[in-house]
Short mmCIF file of all heavy atoms in Angstrom, two decimals:
data_model
loop_
_atom_site.label_atom_id
_atom_site.label_comp_id
_atom_site.label_asym_id
_atom_site.label_seq_id
_atom_site.Cartn_x
_atom_site.Cartn_y
_atom_site.Cartn_z
N ILE A 161 27.48 7.42 50.08
CA ILE A 161 27.61 8.37 48.77
C ILE A 161 26.25 8.60 48.23
O ILE A 161 25.47 7.64 47.84
CB ILE A 161 28.64 7.73 47.73
CG1 ILE A 161 30.01 7.77 48.27
CG2 ILE A 161 28.56 8.52 46.45
CD1 ILE A 161 31.03 6.85 47.62
N VAL A 162 25.97 9.79 47.77
CA VAL A 162 24.62 10.05 47.07
C VAL A 162 25.06 10.98 45.90
O VAL A 162 25.90 11.86 45.86
CB VAL A 162 23.73 10.99 47.83
CG1 VAL A 162 22.52 11.36 47.08
CG2 VAL A 162 23.23 10.24 49.13
N ALA A 163 24.79 10.40 44.74
CA ALA A 163 25.17 10.95 43.42
C ALA A 163 23.95 11.05 42.42
O ALA A 163 23.20 10.08 42.39
CB ALA A 163 26.42 10.16 42.79
N VAL A 164 23.94 12.10 41.69
CA VAL A 164 22.78 12.24 40.74
C VAL A 164 23.43 12.54 39.46
O VAL A 164 24.08 13.65 39.28
CB VAL A 164 21.71 13.19 41.06
CG1 VAL A 164 20.58 13.30 40.12
CG2 VAL A 164 21.11 12.88 42.47
N ARG A 165 23.22 11.84 38.40
CA ARG A 165 23.76 12.09 37.02
C ARG A 165 22.62 12.46 36.07
O ARG A 165 21.63 11.79 36.06
CB ARG A 165 24.54 10.84 36.60
CG ARG A 165 25.00 11.00 35.05
CD ARG A 165 25.81 9.82 34.64
NE ARG A 165 24.99 8.54 34.61
CZ ARG A 165 24.27 8.07 33.50
NH1 ARG A 165 24.33 8.89 32.54
NH2 ARG A 165 23.47 7.11 33.58
N ILE A 166 22.83 13.44 35.27
CA ILE A 166 21.87 13.80 34.31
C ILE A 166 22.64 13.89 32.93
O ILE A 166 23.80 14.15 32.79
CB ILE A 166 21.29 15.20 34.47
CG1 ILE A 166 22.36 16.36 34.73
CG2 ILE A 166 20.32 15.17 35.78
CD1 ILE A 166 21.61 17.68 34.48
N PRO A 167 21.99 13.57 31.92
CA PRO A 167 22.63 13.41 30.53
C PRO A 167 22.75 14.66 29.77
O PRO A 167 22.16 14.93 28.75
CB PRO A 167 21.70 12.43 29.80
CG PRO A 167 20.31 12.78 30.30
CD PRO A 167 20.53 13.20 31.80
N THR A 168 23.59 15.70 30.32
CA THR A 168 23.88 16.87 29.65
C THR A 168 25.20 17.30 30.00
O THR A 168 25.79 16.82 31.00
CB THR A 168 22.93 18.03 30.04
OG1 THR A 168 23.05 19.04 29.19
CG2 THR A 168 23.14 18.44 31.45
N VAL A 184 26.49 25.22 36.21
CA VAL A 184 26.63 24.42 37.37
C VAL A 184 27.36 25.11 38.62
O VAL A 184 26.88 24.92 39.75
CB VAL A 184 27.45 23.00 37.07
CG1 VAL A 184 27.81 22.37 38.33
CG2 VAL A 184 26.60 22.18 36.15
N ARG A 188 25.56 26.12 42.36
CA ARG A 188 26.12 25.89 43.81
C ARG A 188 25.97 27.25 44.75
O ARG A 188 26.13 26.96 45.90
CB ARG A 188 27.48 25.42 43.71
CG ARG A 188 27.92 24.28 42.95
CD ARG A 188 29.39 23.96 42.82
NE ARG A 188 30.01 24.00 43.99
CZ ARG A 188 30.67 22.97 44.60
NH1 ARG A 188 30.61 21.81 43.87
NH2 ARG A 188 31.24 23.02 45.67
N LEU A 210 29.95 19.12 48.78
CA LEU A 210 29.27 18.99 47.47
C LEU A 210 30.37 18.79 46.42
O LEU A 210 31.32 19.77 46.50
CB LEU A 210 28.30 20.22 47.29
CG LEU A 210 27.76 20.18 45.73
CD1 LEU A 210 26.85 18.96 45.53
CD2 LEU A 210 26.98 21.57 45.61
N GLY A 211 30.18 17.88 45.70
CA GLY A 211 31.09 17.76 44.45
C GLY A 211 30.18 17.90 43.18
O GLY A 211 29.17 17.29 43.16
N THR A 212 30.68 18.65 42.23
CA THR A 212 30.16 18.73 40.91
C THR A 212 31.07 18.51 39.86
O THR A 212 32.22 18.91 39.98
CB THR A 212 29.41 20.05 40.69
OG1 THR A 212 30.34 21.10 40.96
CG2 THR A 212 28.21 20.28 41.70
N SER A 213 30.70 17.88 38.76
CA SER A 213 31.50 17.63 37.58
C SER A 213 30.76 17.66 36.32
O SER A 213 29.53 17.21 36.27
CB SER A 213 32.32 16.32 37.77
OG SER A 213 31.50 15.23 37.61
N VAL A 214 31.39 18.38 35.24
CA VAL A 214 30.65 18.54 33.95
C VAL A 214 31.53 17.76 32.92
O VAL A 214 32.70 18.06 32.82
CB VAL A 214 30.51 19.92 33.58
CG1 VAL A 214 29.80 20.04 32.22
CG2 VAL A 214 29.54 20.78 34.72
N GLY A 215 30.94 16.81 32.19
CA GLY A 215 31.68 16.06 31.25
C GLY A 215 31.15 16.48 29.80
O GLY A 215 30.27 17.45 29.83
N SER A 218 27.67 14.37 30.25
CA SER A 218 26.84 14.07 31.58
C SER A 218 27.35 14.93 32.61
O SER A 218 28.49 15.49 32.61
CB SER A 218 27.05 12.57 31.92
OG SER A 218 28.38 12.41 32.31
N THR A 219 26.44 15.26 33.56
CA THR A 219 26.85 16.08 34.77
C THR A 219 26.54 15.47 36.08
O THR A 219 25.47 14.82 35.99
CB THR A 219 26.10 17.52 34.64
OG1 THR A 219 26.57 18.19 33.41
CG2 THR A 219 26.36 18.39 35.80
N LEU A 220 27.33 15.44 36.93
CA LEU A 220 27.23 14.75 38.20
C LEU A 220 27.24 15.67 39.43
O LEU A 220 28.15 16.59 39.55
CB LEU A 220 28.29 13.78 38.32
CG LEU A 220 28.21 12.68 39.49
CD1 LEU A 220 27.05 11.69 39.05
CD2 LEU A 220 29.56 11.96 39.60
N PHE A 221 26.24 15.49 40.33
CA PHE A 221 26.23 16.17 41.64
C PHE A 221 26.49 14.99 42.61
O PHE A 221 25.67 14.16 42.60
CB PHE A 221 24.97 16.96 41.88
CG PHE A 221 24.78 18.28 41.22
CD1 PHE A 221 24.88 18.32 39.83
CD2 PHE A 221 24.52 19.33 41.93
CE1 PHE A 221 24.83 19.61 39.16
CE2 PHE A 221 24.44 20.67 41.41
CZ PHE A 221 24.56 20.77 39.96
N SER A 222 27.33 15.15 43.69
CA SER A 222 27.64 14.06 44.48
C SER A 222 28.10 14.55 45.81
O SER A 222 28.56 15.78 46.00
CB SER A 222 28.63 13.03 43.88
OG SER A 222 29.94 13.70 43.70
N THR A 223 27.90 13.73 46.93
CA THR A 223 28.36 13.92 48.17
C THR A 223 28.61 12.74 48.89
O THR A 223 28.05 11.56 48.48
CB THR A 223 27.47 14.89 48.95
OG1 THR A 223 27.88 15.30 50.20
CG2 THR A 223 26.06 14.10 49.29
N ILE A 237 20.68 17.77 47.41
CA ILE A 237 20.83 17.71 45.83
C ILE A 237 19.71 18.07 45.11
O ILE A 237 19.85 18.63 44.06
CB ILE A 237 21.53 16.35 45.64
CG1 ILE A 237 22.99 16.29 46.24
CG2 ILE A 237 21.78 16.14 44.13
CD1 ILE A 237 23.67 14.96 45.94
N MET A 241 19.55 20.95 42.17
CA MET A 241 19.17 20.50 40.73
C MET A 241 17.96 21.04 40.27
O MET A 241 17.71 21.38 39.09
CB MET A 241 19.37 19.07 40.57
CG MET A 241 20.69 18.51 41.05
SD MET A 241 20.98 16.81 40.45
CE MET A 241 21.33 16.83 38.73
N PHE A 313 18.25 20.43 32.55
CA PHE A 313 18.18 19.71 33.93
C PHE A 313 16.66 19.17 34.15
O PHE A 313 15.65 20.08 34.07
CB PHE A 313 18.52 20.68 35.01
CG PHE A 313 19.96 20.79 35.19
CD1 PHE A 313 20.79 21.55 34.37
CD2 PHE A 313 20.57 20.19 36.28
CE1 PHE A 313 22.20 21.58 34.48
CE2 PHE A 313 22.04 20.25 36.37
CZ PHE A 313 22.59 20.92 35.36
N HIS A 319 19.68 9.79 36.70
CA HIS A 319 19.95 8.49 37.47
C HIS A 319 20.58 8.86 38.82
O HIS A 319 21.45 9.64 38.98
CB HIS A 319 21.10 7.61 36.55
CG HIS A 319 20.97 6.15 37.10
ND1 HIS A 319 21.06 5.08 36.07
CD2 HIS A 319 20.88 5.51 38.28
CE1 HIS A 319 20.99 4.06 36.75
NE2 HIS A 319 20.83 4.27 38.03
N ILE A 320 20.07 8.30 39.84
CA ILE A 320 20.28 8.57 41.28
C ILE A 320 21.01 7.31 41.72
O ILE A 320 20.57 6.16 41.53
CB ILE A 320 19.13 8.92 42.11
CG1 ILE A 320 18.37 10.09 41.55
CG2 ILE A 320 19.47 9.16 43.50
CD1 ILE A 320 16.97 10.36 42.22
N TYR A 321 22.25 7.51 42.50
CA TYR A 321 22.96 6.41 42.97
C TYR A 321 23.14 6.70 44.42
O TYR A 321 23.56 7.81 44.94
CB TYR A 321 24.37 6.32 42.26
CG TYR A 321 24.20 6.11 40.82
CD1 TYR A 321 24.14 7.14 39.93
CD2 TYR A 321 24.41 4.87 40.14
CE1 TYR A 321 24.03 6.93 38.57
CE2 TYR A 321 24.45 4.55 38.94
CZ TYR A 321 24.33 5.72 38.07
OH TYR A 321 24.17 5.53 36.65
N VAL A 491 30.88 2.78 43.55
CA VAL A 491 29.76 3.60 43.08
C VAL A 491 30.35 4.33 41.66
O VAL A 491 29.68 4.41 40.70
CB VAL A 491 29.31 4.63 44.03
CG1 VAL A 491 28.42 5.64 43.43
CG2 VAL A 491 28.70 3.83 45.21
N ASN A 492 31.66 4.88 41.76
CA ASN A 492 32.11 5.43 40.53
C ASN A 492 32.08 4.49 39.43
O ASN A 492 31.80 4.84 38.17
CB ASN A 492 33.42 6.05 40.74
CG ASN A 492 33.30 7.32 41.64
OD1 ASN A 492 32.28 8.03 41.66
ND2 ASN A 492 34.40 7.68 42.48
N ILE A 495 28.65 3.94 37.94
CA ILE A 495 28.45 5.22 37.14
C ILE A 495 28.94 5.09 35.78
O ILE A 495 28.45 5.40 34.74
CB ILE A 495 28.63 6.44 37.86
CG1 ILE A 495 27.71 6.54 39.15
CG2 ILE A 495 28.49 7.65 37.05
CD1 ILE A 495 28.25 7.78 40.05
N ASN A 499 27.29 5.18 32.12
CA ASN A 499 27.68 6.26 31.21
C ASN A 499 28.18 5.74 29.86
O ASN A 499 27.77 6.34 28.82
CB ASN A 499 28.83 7.01 31.81
CG ASN A 499 28.44 8.33 32.33
OD1 ASN A 499 27.32 8.93 32.21
ND2 ASN A 499 29.27 8.76 33.39
#
Side-chain angles (χ1 to χ4, degrees):
I161 293 170
V162 178
V164 183
R165 175 178 63 88
I166 60 168
T168 191
V184 169
R188 298 173 60 109
L210 173 64
T212 55
S213 64
V214 178
S218 67
T219 295
L220 190 73
F221 281 59
S222 63
T223 189
I237 292 179
M241 299 189 85
F313 281 72
H319 201 139
I320 301 170
Y321 301 85
V491 173
N492 287 335
I495 293 173
N499 262 337

